[in-house]
Amino acid sequence: MKLLFLTTYGIDINKEHIFTKNVWKYLSQYYTPTQLILGSCIIDEQKPSPYIEEKKLNGFIYYLLYTQSAFAKDNLKKFFQHISPSIIHSNMIEGYDIEAARGLGIPIVLTIHIGGIICPRGGGNGFLMYNDSICNQPVSNICMKCGCMDLPLPRLSYALLKLLPKSILEYIYSKIKDKNLFYITPFINKFIWIQNRKKYIQFLSYAHVIVANYRLVSILKMNGIPEDNIHLIPHGVKDRGILPFPDYSDNKVKFYYLGRVQYSKGLHILMKAFDGIDKSKYELHIIGDAELRRKEQRYYSHIKSLAKNKNVIFHGRLPNDRIEEVVQDCHVMIHSAIFLEVYGIAIAESLSMGRPVLATKCGGAEMQIKDGVNGWLVEPNSVSEMRNKILYIIDHFDDVCSCAKNSRIPHPIEEYCHDLQFIYNDILTQ
């Protein structure tokens, strides 16, 4: 067997998400350098296209395919022909990899990391509908209404998209597709991305898709992906090790949030849930920050304004070792997502450190948390449910201690990689 492991489109292994890095690292422990090859597709408009650079990474061959964006699909096909793998495991979402593999008859496995792989809204808001509920529908024109929520004047934008004929929208796109015009480009893209995702779903039917929660299984089936091609494997994480549980000597429950500060993570719901709660009875530590884009920074400022007169400490983004310094003094992690969380690595890592988690029923959380056993589950986008559960936790510290004792890593990365090996072998023997 020769396995080609592809990183995210446009990203080399050094800049990859920690989860994908760890999958590669542990796979490299199970395969020899002749069985496992690492590959990245890097966009470079200056280099001759295609240009393949060969490196060595811990004894394994690492190919970097440099390509101009317009030729990415064709050059990926040439890249696959050059390597001639018996199976491909990809972390891309563009569809070029699947189309190229299908053209060559090479089986391909794809891991879903973000909702944007199916959902046209994407951008960290995958499967978040226009009314802030979690999506339970196939890709259709309703997705335009959801996407317009990210534009100025969302209702007017949606009305215009419904009014303009498809031919006009496609004509405008053909004239501006290589430009970035204020409002116009993202406005037209709300229509184009629906067409792109519908096309992508057709490609996806060829791949074997790894998903981390039951809701994603349902959504894929709803969009026509064959059930035999869907594999449910919760994400694996490295075991951080159980941290000593802090005492309750100051009669204060210390909560923490770990992750990006963005609308879909529901921090506005969390801040409102703490309204009226005696701030001498709790601390809330926010670990993470917002992306640099103006909209995210505005949201971050809004969260800070909501935090006034509450016992909230903002730590910003911290390196891994500093995260544990904060967590070791905290009792409970809160995960307040209002969108469909593919898995929730932060939840898994918190459980692995012996910290129970209060989370919304956002998809990935239900795969890891048993209500009242190692944490608590509430409905997403509900201030009242979140507040009531926070008050319960503050008033029932014995239950917090009991849940902490039951908090362990849900799915170690080693088990995850064993599951992957089983899938590879099963596909190759079909």
Side-chain angles (χ1 to χ4, degrees), residues 145-391:
K145 189 173 184 179
C146 304
C148 285
M149 298 304 296
D150 301 318
L151 295 174
L153 304 172
R155 291 183 180 179
L156 178 60
S157 298
Y158 179 54
L160 283 172
L161 274 180
K162 286 200 301 180
L163 183 65
L164 291 171
K166 178 180 177 181
S167 58
I168 297 296
L169 292 169
E170 289 175 341
Y171 174 77
I172 296 173
Y173 176 72
S174 69
K175 296 298 181 182
I176 67 164
K177 63 180 178 181
D178 296 322
K179 300 175 183 177
N180 188 14
L181 304 177
F182 175 74
Y183 183 77
I184 296 175
T185 298
F187 171 75
I188 295 298
N189 281 343
K190 298 306 173 187
F191 165 77
I192 294 299
W193 264 97
I194 293 174
Q195 313 312 310
N196 287 347
R197 290 301 89 185
K198 285 181 177 179
K199 185 178 179 182
Y200 178 79
I201 289 167
Q202 294 177 348
F203 295 145
L204 198 58
S205 296
Y206 174 77
H208 287 264
V209 189
I210 296 173
V211 299
N213 71 67
Y214 288 106
R215 285 199 189 184
L216 272 174
V217 172
S218 176
I219 287 173
L220 288 176
K221 289 162 64 176
M222 196 183 302
N223 279 281
I225 307 301
E227 188 171 359
D228 290 345
N229 285 25
I230 304 171
H231 307 272
L232 177 65
I233 310 179
H235 284 355
V237 299
K238 288 180 68 175
D239 195 345
R240 283 181 172 268
I242 302 295
L243 298 176
F245 199 65
D247 61 27
Y248 190 52
S249 57
D250 56 358
N251 295 319
K252 186 184 292 183
V253 177
K254 296 176 182 178
F255 300 90
Y256 71 96
Y257 167 85
L258 175 60
R260 293 188 307 277
V261 177
Q262 64 183 47
Y263 185 81
S264 60
K265 293 291 187 176
L267 283 164
H268 54 291
I269 302 296
L270 180 57
M271 291 301 166
K272 292 174 184 176
F274 276 99
D275 283 346
I277 297 178
D278 184 348
K279 61 182 181 181
S280 69
K281 294 185 176 181
Y282 74 89
E283 287 179 2
L284 173 60
H285 296 259
I286 307 294
I287 308 170
D289 60 13
E291 293 182 5
L292 295 176
R293 290 178 298 192
R294 186 168 55 184
K295 183 175 182 179
E296 277 71 21
Q297 288 298 317
R298 281 202 307 266
Y299 181 72
Y300 199 3
S301 297
H302 176 57
I303 294 304
K304 287 182 176 178
S305 69
L306 290 175
K308 289 179 180 178
N309 301 318
K310 298 183 179 74
N311 199 354
V312 181
I313 300 99
F314 290 89
H315 295 271
R317 186 173 298 177
L318 298 177
N320 273 340
D321 55 341
R322 290 287 313 286
I323 290 174
E324 291 191 10
E325 287 179 17
V326 177
V327 171
Q328 69 182 358
D329 294 326
C330 294
H331 302 107
V332 176
M333 186 255 201
I334 301 185
H335 193 80
S336 51
I338 61 173
F339 75 133
L340 179 57
E341 186 77 75
V342 169
Y343 187 59
I345 295 293
I347 296 174
E349 291 187 334
S350 294
L351 291 170
S352 80
M353 291 186 281
R355 296 300 181 264
V357 179
L358 165 57
T360 56
K361 298 174 184 177
C362 56
E366 299 96 299
M367 299 296 295
Q368 307 178 64
I369 299 168
K370 293 183 178 179
D371 191 37
V373 177
N374 61 349
W376 307 267
L377 293 167
V378 297
E379 291 298 322
N381 209 29
S382 173
V383 172
S384 60
E385 283 207 26
M386 182 66 77
R387 179 186 291 122
N388 289 339
K389 193 58 67 174
I390 289 169
L391 288 169

Side-chain angles (χ1 to χ4, degrees), residues 80 87-103 105-112 117-118 199-211 220 224-231 423-424 427 430:
F80 293 166
I87 190 168
I88 298 166
H89 185 154
S90 177
N91 294 279
M92 294 170 54
I93 69 168
E94 288 70 23
Y96 306 141
D97 49 346
I98 303 174
E99 196 171 359
R102 185 175 67 172
I106 302 172
I108 183 167
V109 174
L110 184 83
T111 299
I112 291 186
I117 199 167
I118 295 289
K199 185 178 179 182
Y200 178 79
I201 289 167
Q202 294 177 348
F203 295 145
L204 198 58
S205 296
Y206 174 77
H208 287 264
V209 189
I210 296 173
V211 299
L220 288 176
I225 307 301
E227 188 171 359
D228 290 345
N229 285 25
I230 304 171
H231 307 272
I423 289 173
Y424 300 152
I427 292 169
Q430 287 179 5

